Amino acid sequence: MASREINARAGLSEPIQSATAAQNYSRPLAIVTTLFFMWGFLTCLNDILIPHLKSIFDLSYARVMLVQFAFFSAYFLFSVPWSKVVNTIGYKTTMVVGLLTMAVGAFLFLPAASAVSYPLFLTALLVLAAGITGLQVSANPYVDLLGRPETASSRLDLTQAFNSLGTTLAPKIGGLLILSAAPLALAQLQQLTPEALHLYRVQQASSIKMPYTVIGVALLLLAVLIGVSKLPKIEAANTVSEQKANDSIWQHRNLLLGALGIFAYVGAEVSIGSFLVNYFGLSEIAGFSAKTAAGYVSFYWGGSMIGRFLGAPLLQRLKPGYLLALCAIAAGALVMASMLLSGHVAMWTILAVGFFNSIMFPTIFSLGEAELGSLSGTGSGLLNMAIVGGAVLPVIQGAIADSVGLHHAFVLPVICYLYILYYALQGSKPNSERYGNI
């Protein structure tokens, strides 16, 4: 789920563009790509934390979805402040500060596990995600500017593929490390004394300490690597080219509806991924243990990775809106099928949704940015903040699951895909196309 920096400017000076076009930046690009892998891995690790914390604290679906609410709220809260940091200290230093902030968040999981405190876990997630937002705000535009403008899309596609690699590996590794011990059933928990219940929770929470300690150390080492690397210096532009008279982002319908599209897409993707472990544990679906189910979640995110590799050439041959519409129809139909069916068929149909999610973010993003010109930086900020859909919609789906059961709670993603279908065919038309048809 990569996004561009909110102050990425279209009006960079010509000397910078000429300099970047004349050099080979393979090595710095490889170094920065590690950041994409890292934040993809950490974002998807939440899918393993959710069932684990649900069992430890005996949470409802709505309450445990506060994990995603705390995490994805960071995009809304910190995108603008981080953009100001980029303009003040530059891309490279912002990457280092973002990694250090992430390390602080990772290490906060240790006292949260020791105290067995759900609010402290949420605080750790918010700090961790705040650092990830800093990476999003700095690394994405850096890659975009690190080379010739005509190859920027291919560079971003490549780095986003490594982001998907991180999301694919996280459920498998996280399941092995965090979900190694089978949790007690609710009836067993109710039979424990308060002292025994506390000891059980401490024991279960302790499985989180080692993975996040390793992650914290890795983030510190990565910060050192970025800090000592001789990355090309690209100045963050503080001014933009002169805008057209009376033009504003509010006059670009494709951008405003695109922001809702990003909100719906991220919300749907995160909502589905967040519930998969519990979904596969249902007796009418697969009856898997949490550890076994976690391994299958990798197929969901792996499908997205494969789809991105296949979608890149297709987007060059087909009209993006039509391909987006096709993917929205397929994703919505697969979710509906999973709700109507049962057993392993229902499991594999919901996993297949990941493949059709693959091209949605970059396609909605590019359609929303169409014809913005010098307003592209501001428009990018609006689209970036819309990632907060990953915070809001999982909580709503959790409330639906508590009311009607998890099997039929996926109606919310279906509604999201219907909106994306509308945006692909109608809402994404830029002003020139809209007014040209009048």
Side-chain angles (χ1 to χ4, degrees), residues 38-105:
M38 184 58 75
W39 83 58
F41 184 91
L42 291 173
T43 299
C44 199
L45 203 56
N46 291 350
D47 294 347
I48 304 304
L49 278 177
I50 286 169
H52 193 56
L53 294 179
K54 186 179 188 300
S55 65
I56 291 175
F57 296 103
D58 189 22
L59 300 171
S60 66
Y61 285 117
R63 285 196 65 200
V64 77
M65 282 304 126
L66 291 177
V67 167
Q68 300 292 30
F69 184 85
F71 191 89
F72 283 94
S73 291
Y75 287 93
F76 185 81
L77 296 173
F78 300 113
S79 289
V80 172
W82 274 115
S83 70
K84 298 182 185 299
V85 172
V86 169
N87 287 334
T88 302
I89 64 178
Y91 292 112
K92 175 182 173 180
T93 308
T94 303
M95 293 178 208
V96 174
V97 176
L99 286 166
L100 293 176
T101 304
M102 292 168 65
V104 171

Side-chain angles (χ1 to χ4, degrees), residues 85-413:
V85 172
V86 169
N87 287 334
T88 302
I89 64 178
Y91 292 112
K92 175 182 173 180
T93 308
T94 303
M95 293 178 208
V96 174
V97 176
L99 286 166
L100 293 176
T101 304
M102 292 168 65
V104 171
F107 288 129
L108 280 176
F109 277 83
L110 304 183
S114 297
V116 198
S117 169
Y118 189 50
L120 191 51
F121 274 117
L122 297 179
T123 301
L125 284 163
L126 182 63
V127 174
L128 180 65
I132 291 176
T133 305
L135 292 191
Q136 292 266 28
V137 165
S138 54
N140 273 299
Y142 188 81
V143 170
D144 188 64
L145 298 170
L146 199 62
R148 293 178 296 152
E150 57 267 28
T151 60
S153 296
S154 62
R155 289 194 300 275
L156 284 171
D157 284 341
L158 177 62
T159 54
Q160 287 182 18
F162 280 91
N163 178 271
S164 294
L165 177 61
T167 63
T168 301
L169 294 178
K172 189 68 175 178
I173 297 175
L176 292 174
L177 297 177
I178 296 175
L179 301 178
S180 56
L184 295 178
L186 178 60
Q188 295 173 300
L189 291 175
Q190 292 174 343
Q191 295 176 357
L192 297 178
T193 64
E195 294 79 8
L197 179 61
H198 178 73
L199 289 175
Y200 166 77
R201 287 175 170 171
V202 169
Q203 180 185 20
Q204 289 290 304
S206 64
S207 65
I208 297 174
K209 291 183 178 180
M210 188 271 287
Y212 277 91
T213 299
V214 173
I215 289 170
V217 173
L219 290 169
L220 291 177
L221 294 175
L222 194 52
V224 173
L225 173 64
I226 298 295
V228 301
S229 297
K230 294 182 179 180
L231 300 180
K233 185 176 182 180
I234 300 177
E235 298 292 343
N238 292 309
T239 59
V240 297
S241 57
E242 192 173 332
Q243 296 178 191
K244 297 178 181 179
N246 300 321
D247 195 12
S248 74
I249 60 171
W250 309 113
Q251 296 178 8
H252 292 268
R253 184 168 172 263
N254 60 303
L255 170 65
L256 303 180
L257 296 181
L260 290 177
I262 293 291
F263 183 94
Y265 157 70
V266 176
E269 181 185 55
V270 173
S271 293
I272 293 173
S274 299
F275 286 101
L276 288 182
V277 172
N278 291 112
Y279 189 55
F280 298 158
L282 297 178
S283 58
E284 66 266 29
I285 302 299
F288 287 153
S289 67
K291 182 179 179 181
T292 301
Y296 281 86
V297 176
S298 293
F299 288 102
Y300 176 71
W301 297 106
S304 180
M305 179 179 65
I306 295 171
R308 282 180 174 174
F309 281 116
L310 297 178
L314 287 177
L315 286 170
Q316 296 176 5
R317 293 172 173 82
L318 302 176
K319 190 174 181 179
Y322 291 159
L323 187 58
L324 178 62
L326 178 63
C327 288
I329 292 172
L334 287 168
V335 176
M336 283 292 296
S338 185
M339 287 193 296
L340 295 173
L341 301 171
S342 60
H344 284 243
V345 177
M347 181 184 76
W348 286 109
T349 51
I350 200 74
L351 286 174
V353 175
F355 178 83
F356 294 98
N357 280 339
S358 57
I359 61 102
M360 288 189 182
F361 185 95
T363 305
I364 296 172
F365 199 100
S366 62
L367 291 173
E369 286 272 279
E371 298 185 4
L372 291 188
S374 60
L375 295 173
S376 60
T378 306
S380 177
L382 183 63
L383 294 171
N384 195 35
M385 293 176 71
I387 296 175
V388 75
V392 177
L393 296 187
V395 176
I396 297 176
Q397 183 168 332
I400 296 173
D402 290 329
S403 299
V404 303
L406 182 54
H407 192 176
H408 298 101
F410 290 95
V411 65
L412 185 60

